[in-house]
């Protein structure tokens, strides 16, 4: 009689299928711990885009949200790209529908905007812009924009405002937001700080201005790993999506990570990221479905600004 637990069997079967299919499992830092632990690579949007472009595997299993898997297909179209749940979307992507941006750009054609799109957007939006950025390279990308053209930054008003503060470059900001990061408030972070006066605060740039003001460091999820490891403080208040805590606990076990009590929260679940489960990961590897597909002309138009970003942030 087998004594193996169902999750152990599932893990083993995922590894067997991965070998059979010559697949690579890429996971975002916000995925659940069991998915992070079985992945070949765990990282932020930028690191994941490089991994997707450079992989020799035949199949990319992308554990994140849809725009991330779509990005993998755009930069590496000959690969089969599957994702555990096709419905894993993103509130930022939803806040900037392609047809709306297209109409806005037509109405404002006289402005000759240089359009910078945060990677959290659809393939249609990517295809309409000049260059893509992630939270990890947004400052660099904005600094490299032509000085003689006005910039339109889509879709995240908070990341856009933070980059403006960092670079001094004025931009027109699309009014989108991440529903997870705008829930953290000045009051909630202040009350956690009051209980942990010696703690450092690290926050994602999708947070509001009032929350960013309270942070010692504002950065992408990958840079959070370096900040937490290098910070002289032992106590760190982490203001982002809760999956980050698993990665940080593994990388910096000596640190005391403070996510806050539920009434004063500094970490919260993204319902889209958490749609992925080990069971669905197993199923997408087994069935090679759902797959990311997109029309080739759209893919090509979206590829140019992504390639520009990857070259600029090397
Ligand atoms: P990172 O690129 O910093 O990992 O952020 C992605 C994201 O979706 C944040 O909400
Ligand atoms: Fe989108 Fe926010 Fe979820 Fe990141 S945390 S995937 S920005 S909804």
């Amino acid at each position: 009689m087998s004594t193996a637990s169902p999750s152990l069997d599932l893990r083993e079967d995922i590894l067997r299928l991965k070998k059979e299919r010559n697949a690579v499992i890429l996971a975002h830092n916000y995925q659940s711990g069991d998915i992070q632990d079985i992945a070949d690579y765990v990282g932020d949007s930028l690191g994941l885009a490089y991994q997707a472009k450079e992989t020799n595997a035949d199949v990319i299993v992308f554990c994140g949200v849809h725009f991330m898997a779509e990005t993998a297909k755009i930069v590496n179209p000959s690969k089969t790209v599957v994702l555990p749940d096709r419905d894993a979307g993103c509130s930022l992507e939803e806040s900037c529908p392609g047809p709306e941006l297209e109409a806005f750009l037509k109405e404002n054609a006289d402005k000759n905007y240089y359009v910078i799109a945060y990677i959290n957007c659809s393939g249609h939006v990517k295809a309409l812009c000049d260059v893509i950025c992630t939270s990890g390279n947004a400052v660099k990308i904005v600094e490299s924009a032509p000085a003689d053209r006005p910039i339109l930054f889509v879709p995240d008003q908070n990341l856009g405002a933070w980059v403006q503060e960092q670079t001094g470059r004025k931009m027109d900001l699309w009014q989108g937001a991440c529903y997870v990061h705008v829930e953290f408030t000045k009051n909630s972070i202040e009350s956690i700080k009051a209980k942990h006066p010696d703690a450092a605060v690290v926050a994602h740039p999708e947070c509001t201005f009032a929350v960013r003001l309270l942070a010692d460091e504002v950065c992408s999820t990958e840079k959070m790993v370096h900040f937490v490891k290098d910070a002289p403080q032992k106590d760190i208040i982490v203001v982002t999506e809760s999956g980050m805590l698993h990665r940080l606990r593994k990388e910096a076990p000596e640190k005391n990570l403070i996510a806050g009590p539920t009434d004063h929260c500094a970490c919260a679940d993204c319902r889209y990221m958490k749609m992925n489960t080990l069971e669905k990961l197993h199923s997408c590897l087994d069935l090679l479905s759902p797959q990311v597909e997109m029309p080739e002309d759209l893919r090509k138009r979206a590829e140019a600004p992504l390639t520009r970003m990857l070259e600029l942030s090397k």
Side-chain angles (χ1 to χ4, degrees):
M1 199 180 87
S2 165
T3 53
S5 72
S7 67
L8 193 64
D9 289 345
L10 200 59
R11 275 181 59 89
E12 276 169 11
D13 216 44
I14 288 170
L15 295 173
R16 175 188 67 79
L17 283 166
K18 191 180 83 146
K19 207 166 172 190
E20 247 174 62
R21 303 247 184 257
N22 187 26
V24 66
I25 302 176
L26 305 181
H28 186 264
N29 286 320
Y30 293 165
Q31 290 296 281
S32 57
D34 52 2
I35 292 181
Q36 290 192 31
D37 290 346
I38 206 163
D40 296 291
Y41 176 86
V42 182
D44 68 356
S45 311
L46 184 60
L48 289 162
Y50 278 116
Q51 291 290 323
K53 189 167 171 60
E54 285 156 17
T55 185
N56 292 321
D58 295 321
V59 176
I60 299 173
V61 182
F62 207 108
C63 301
V65 291
H66 181 265
F67 78 80
M68 295 178 176
E70 190 177 58
T71 300
K73 186 71 182 176
I74 295 168
V75 297
N76 208 339
S78 66
K79 308 297 179 188
T80 298
V81 180
V82 293
L83 67 168
D85 193 321
R86 171 65 188 82
D87 294 332
C90 168
S91 66
L92 271 169
E93 176 177 353
E94 282 166 19
S95 64
C96 185
E100 237 175 77
L101 176 61
E102 201 165 343
F104 178 88
L105 290 173
K106 258 193 203 129
E107 271 163 37
N108 293 280
D110 56 316
K111 292 213 168 86
N112 190 25
Y113 274 124
Y114 185 77
V115 184
I116 304 181
Y118 183 29
I119 199 164
N120 294 37
C121 63
S122 66
H124 187 175
V125 167
K126 287 185 177 77
L128 293 169
C129 74
D130 293 285
V131 67
I132 306 291
C133 73
T134 72
S135 59
N137 62 17
V139 168
K140 200 171 184 181
I141 298 293
V142 169
E143 279 171 345
S144 70
D148 58 348
R149 284 177 68 185
I151 298 176
L152 174 67
F153 188 92
V154 303
D156 189 9
Q157 58 183 299
N158 290 302
L159 175 69
W162 175 71
V163 178
Q164 279 192 155
E165 291 154 27
Q166 302 302 303
T167 60
R169 180 82 195 254
K170 176 88 190 70
M171 305 189 290
D172 287 342
L173 308 177
W174 194 268
Q175 295 299 297
C178 161
Y179 91 97
V180 179
H181 288 87
V182 296
E183 283 298 307
F184 306 127
T185 63
K186 180 174 181 281
N187 282 354
S188 64
I189 307 306
E190 271 175 352
S191 70
I192 300 171
K193 273 181 85 142
K195 288 192 193 109
H196 303 272
D198 299 329
V201 179
V202 61
H204 198 274
E206 289 170 11
C207 293
T208 61
F209 178 66
V211 167
R212 293 196 310 272
L213 267 187
L214 296 171
D216 297 280
E217 178 71 353
V218 175
C219 60
S220 75
T221 59
E222 198 58 30
K223 289 182 184 169
M224 283 183 186
V225 176
H226 301 285
F227 176 80
V228 169
K229 275 182 170 171
D230 298 343
Q233 296 91 337
K234 186 173 166 64
D235 294 347
I236 319 268
I237 299 167
V238 182
V239 193
T240 193
E241 207 274 346
S242 53
M244 194 65 222
L245 296 170
H246 182 78
R247 174 87 197 276
L248 291 173
R249 281 188 190 117
K250 270 178 109 167
E251 301 260 359
E254 72 287 1
K255 294 293 165 94
N256 177 32
L257 305 173
I258 301 157
T262 44
D263 56 334
H264 289 123
C265 205
C267 262
D269 279 353
C270 167
R271 65 172 173 269
Y272 304 109
M273 286 281 178
K274 296 305 189 275
M275 281 179 178
N276 296 333
T277 61
L278 218 48
E279 285 76 12
K280 290 183 197 171
L281 162 53
H282 178 268
S283 163
C284 77
L285 244 179
D286 190 21
L287 306 173
L288 289 185
S289 170
Q291 271 187 39
V292 178
E293 322 248 20
M294 64 193 303
E296 182 55 13
D297 63 324
L298 178 68
R299 189 204 65 78
K300 273 205 179 120
R301 282 187 283 130
E303 186 181 24
L306 265 168
T307 306
R308 197 164 296 137
M309 170 191 86
L310 294 175
E311 277 162 11
L312 281 169
S313 53
K314 259 183 197 156

